[in-house]
Amino acid sequence: MVICVSGGAGYIGSHMVKCLQENGLDAIVIDNLSNGHRSSVDETVPFYQGDVRDRIFLESVFSQHAIQAVIHFAADSLVGESVFEPIKYYQNNVVGALTLLDVMRQFEIKSLIFSSTAATYGEPVSIPILESDPTFPTSPYGESKLVVEKLLKWSDVAYGIKSVILRYFNVAGAHPSGLIGEDHQPETHLIPLILKVALKKAPAIKIYGDDYATPDGTCIRDYIHVMDLAQAHVLALLNLLKTHQSATYNLGNGEGFSVKEVIETARKVTQCPIETQVVARRSGDPSILLASSDKAIRELGWNPQYNRLETIIQSAWAFQQSHPDGFLD
Ligand code: UFG
């Protein structure tokens, strides 16, 4: 069974490819390397450099392998950036998924795992957030993913393409081997940026607003280890191939940490002081995102292994220390 991973050289995609290998499943990777790193994918995995919006490219890859399912990560994923560059997000995320789905339809590939996001919910109506809660995104990023979710619903009805939509909360951490981890250029995510301060590569971590309606005034997020997230994809994929039922699952740990609490935990893990600087709020940020992942635990038998924030930060710290300049490509 061959699984095509789009965006497989990106942060989450590269961990997904490792996880597929660890579960005895064959992967091929497509990635345009706009955000990903070629060296984050094992040499033994077939790799095709190209863009999911490029239909001719997809047709050429799909004609070379008997692909049974696609796991689609290739997308832009920064909440803050999307507010200033909505066209980029609709272009890449919506047109990319649309093209991929159309080529899947052409090649009669009927199973898709879709990388969606907690950003589809916007400001939550209740905590923890359930999959059935209303979706009112507060950023073009969240909206672009929601558009694709709706397209998937209609593609199921019209073409019988079954999909599992996985709405991620805040993904962090690195593979236990320390060989791959998070390396975005430029980095905008909280945990790697905090660790860059610990490594003395930046003077202070900026806290985007301390006037939110939360106990310490900073935003609360639900952090999930990237390998727990990847394992949930494997379970979702196996379940989809067995049941042929489309479904939507939240993936988080159900425990919220404020920006200040994350910084404090990083101080303990790294034993470094980590200076802070409070600045204005970042556009598009909801105050609290906290998942109920009970449905994934119940229906997929998902059993997260690295769900303590300390463990997540420790693994990210091990990667940052061994790769202080990130991947070299
Ligand atoms: N933050 C800071 N300072 C920084 C960076 C971030 O205070 O230098 C804050 C943000 O304002 C936010 C929290 O830390 O409140 C987490 O921010 P990240 O940039 O690490 O992550 P986001 O919550 O913006 O977004 C991430 C993914 C999205 C996904 C979302 C789901 O990037 O793709 O989690 O919760 F949709």
Side-chain angles (χ1 to χ4, degrees):
M1 159 155 84
V2 177
I3 312 300
C4 173
V5 183
S6 80
Y11 166 48
I12 301 176
S14 60
H15 288 79
M16 184 72 243
V17 172
K18 274 237 179 305
C19 192
L20 287 169
Q21 290 179 305
E22 288 165 9
N23 283 273
L25 299 164
D26 289 330
I28 66 160
V29 166
I30 58 180
D31 199 302
N32 66 6
L33 296 182
S34 63
N35 294 312
H37 305 276
R38 177 66 187 90
S39 63
S40 69
V41 182
D42 201 287
E43 291 287 333
T44 58
V45 177
F47 181 89
Y48 299 92
Q49 184 174 350
D51 197 294
V52 282
R53 288 165 290 184
D54 180 348
R55 184 183 186 102
I56 308 286
F57 163 72
L58 288 182
E59 287 173 351
S60 135
V61 175
F62 283 23
S63 57
Q64 293 175 60
H65 297 272
I67 294 168
Q68 190 161 5
V70 176
I71 308 182
H72 179 43
F73 293 103
D76 287 306
S77 65
L78 302 178
V79 173
E81 180 188 62
S82 76
V83 176
F84 301 102
E85 296 200 56
I87 292 177
K88 175 180 175 184
Y89 277 72
Y90 276 76
Q91 248 299 329
N92 196 17
N93 298 2
V94 179
V95 177
L98 195 67
T99 313
L100 177 68
L101 264 176
D102 202 17
V103 177
M104 284 178 66
R105 177 170 69 108
Q106 182 185 335
F107 281 78
E108 297 184 356
I109 300 168
K110 301 282 188 190
S111 303
L112 175 73
I113 306 292
F114 178 59
S115 166
S116 191
T117 170
T120 53
Y121 293 109
E123 213 41 76
V125 290
S126 58
I127 293 291
I129 300 170
L130 297 169
E131 290 84 351
S132 52
D133 282 355
T135 44
F136 293 110
T138 52
S139 66
Y141 166 60
E143 189 100 14
S144 71
K145 291 283 185 174
L146 191 58
V147 169
V148 177
E149 290 195 6
K150 291 181 195 272
L151 171 64
L152 292 178
K153 187 184 94 180
W154 294 114
S155 297
D156 182 345
V157 175
Y159 317 124
I161 297 177
K162 304 290 175 186
S163 53
V164 179
I165 291 164
L166 298 175
R167 292 181 178 153
Y168 314 156
F169 285 65
N170 285 60
V171 188
H175 192 266
S177 65
L179 293 174
I180 56 171
E182 187 166 10
D183 175 17
H184 298 108
Q185 301 292 345
E187 189 54 78
T188 64
H189 292 100
L190 181 64
I191 290 178
L193 284 176
I194 292 173
L195 297 177
K196 285 190 197 308
V197 179
L199 278 176
K200 300 200 167 37
K201 290 180 147 274
I205 180 73
K206 289 186 173 132
I207 297 176
Y208 292 139
D210 65 353
D211 57 349
Y212 284 93
T214 60
D216 68 16
T218 65
C219 286
I220 292 178
R221 295 286 180 273
D222 180 341
Y223 293 87
I224 167 171
H225 194 284
V226 64
M227 288 311 291
D228 283 336
L229 185 93
Q231 188 59 30
H233 286 64
V234 170
L235 295 169
L237 173 68
L238 297 178
N239 197 50
L240 179 64
L241 295 175
K242 192 171 85 188
T243 63
H244 304 290
Q245 294 280 328
S246 294
T248 301
Y249 297 99
N250 285 340
L251 294 176
N253 278 315
E255 197 177 354
F257 294 92
S258 71
V259 171
K260 285 186 177 168
E261 286 171 331
V262 175
I263 296 168
E264 199 44 50
T265 308
R267 287 189 180 119
K268 285 196 195 110
V269 168
T270 62
Q271 298 288 304
C272 296
I274 307 180
E275 293 291 323
T276 61
Q277 181 195 359
V278 176
V279 297
R281 289 182 178 196
R282 188 174 66 176
S283 301
D285 277 343
S287 53
I288 303 181
L289 287 173
L290 181 56
S292 163
S293 301
D294 290 355
K295 189 178 170 199
I297 292 168
R298 195 176 59 244
E299 293 185 9
L300 301 177
W302 184 47
N303 180 18
Q305 300 296 300
Y306 308 101
N307 45 8
R308 291 181 58 246
L309 183 62
E310 281 84 354
T311 316
I312 294 171
I313 295 179
Q314 265 157 9
S315 70
W317 181 229
F319 176 74
Q320 287 267 344
Q321 285 178 300
S322 61
H323 296 72
D325 298 316
F327 292 105
L328 299 174
D329 63 344

